[in-house]
Structure formats: C-alpha cells, structure tokens
C-alpha cells in the first residue's frame, strides 16, 4: 500500500495542478471584484470548474486500487477475507481445480464495476482532457 500511495498521490496532484493551471484567471478575479470571499471562490468557482478533473482522477485511482493484486495477496490473512483480485488469482495455477471458462467468467465479472464506473463518468472523463484556454 505504501508503494501505491507513493505513486497515487503525486499522480493525482500532477493531474489536478496541471488542469487548474488551464483555468482562466479572469473568472476568479471577477469574483474577487464582486466581493466573494476565498471560500466562496473555492466552492463556487474552483470546485465546479475542476469537477471533471476530479472525476477523471477518481476513475484512475479506483481502477488502480481495484486491480491491486499484490496488496490483497500480501495482507489477507484468510481466504474468506481476500479481495476480488486475489480470489481471481487463486482460480488459476497448479493447485486449482477449475477450468479456463470459470476463470474467464470470473475475470468478466471482476471487470464489470470498472466498466460501469468508466461509462457512467465518461462525459466528465472526456471533458477533463480538454484545455480551457
């Protein structure tokens, strides 16, 4: 988990920072001239404008955590509490007694949450790739 955190946090920061640099400064300056406080500028201007980047980072981080096999294998103390990816890895190998159709069906079921999340957030994900200049 420590290695994942060492990669995930800088990646999220990098994406959010670079996206925030593309936002027009004139919008914030206009809000400040209208008397908006720092919190109001943050919650009513920055958060809505960066929502698509936040959702894109969330999708990337969800997929990374969902597919994390080594953490589940290392930290699970029992077969009853293993994460999905570790259970899927147990279905194949020298000591498994199931065939390839069962493993492929499990892989299909494991990939469904990721696909549902991506297609439900696709509009935000694609809009976060656009530059606002």
């Amino acid at each position: 988990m420590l290695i994942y955190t060492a990669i995930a946090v800088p990646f999220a920061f990098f994406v959010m920072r670079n996206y925030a640099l593309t936002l027009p400064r004139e919008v914030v300056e206009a809000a400040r001239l209208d008397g908006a406080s720092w919190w109001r500028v943050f919650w009513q201007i920055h958060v809505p404008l960066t929502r698509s980047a936040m959702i894109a980072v969330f999708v990337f981080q969800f997929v990374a955590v969902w597919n994390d096999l080594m953490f589940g294998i290392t930290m699970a103390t029992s077969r009853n509490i293993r994460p999905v990816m570790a259970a899927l890895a147990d279905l194949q190998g020298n000591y498994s007694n199931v065939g390839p159709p069962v493993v492929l069906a499990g892989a299909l079921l494991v990939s469904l949450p990721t696909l549902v999340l991506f297609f439900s957030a696709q509009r935000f994900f694609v809009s976060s790739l656009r530059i606002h200049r």
Side-chain angles (χ1 to χ4, degrees), residues 15-34:
V15 170
M16 292 300 298
R17 179 191 174 274
N18 288 340
Y19 187 81
L21 289 176
T22 65
L23 299 176
R25 293 186 186 267
E26 292 83 15
V27 177
V28 175
E29 291 172 3
R32 295 296 293 182
L33 285 175
D34 287 341

Side-chain angles (χ1 to χ4, degrees), residues 32-102:
R32 295 296 293 182
L33 285 175
D34 287 341
S37 66
W38 185 87
W39 279 105
R40 186 166 184 176
V41 168
F42 178 74
W43 284 110
Q44 292 185 347
I45 294 174
H46 284 293
V47 171
L49 287 176
T50 58
R51 180 178 55 193
S52 59
M54 285 189 269
I55 291 174
V57 166
F58 175 76
V59 168
F60 280 130
Q61 300 307 325
F62 176 82
V63 169
V65 170
W66 184 257
N67 292 331
D68 192 16
L69 175 65
M70 293 306 293
F71 182 74
I73 290 174
T74 306
M75 300 303 265
T77 58
S78 163
R79 286 180 170 251
N80 297 332
I81 60 168
R82 281 199 161 175
V84 176
M85 288 297 165
L88 184 64
D90 277 346
L91 288 178
Q92 52 190 340
N94 293 334
Y95 302 110
S96 68
N97 56 1
V98 298
V102 175

Side-chain angles (χ1 to χ4, degrees), residues 3 8 11 20-21 36 56 59 70 84-85 94 104 109 113 118 122 124 126 130:
I3 293 173
F11 174 75
L21 289 176
V59 168
M70 293 306 293
V84 176
M85 288 297 165
N94 293 334
L104 292 174
L109 289 175
F118 176 74
Q122 184 179 10
F124 299 107
V126 171
R130 231 178 312 152

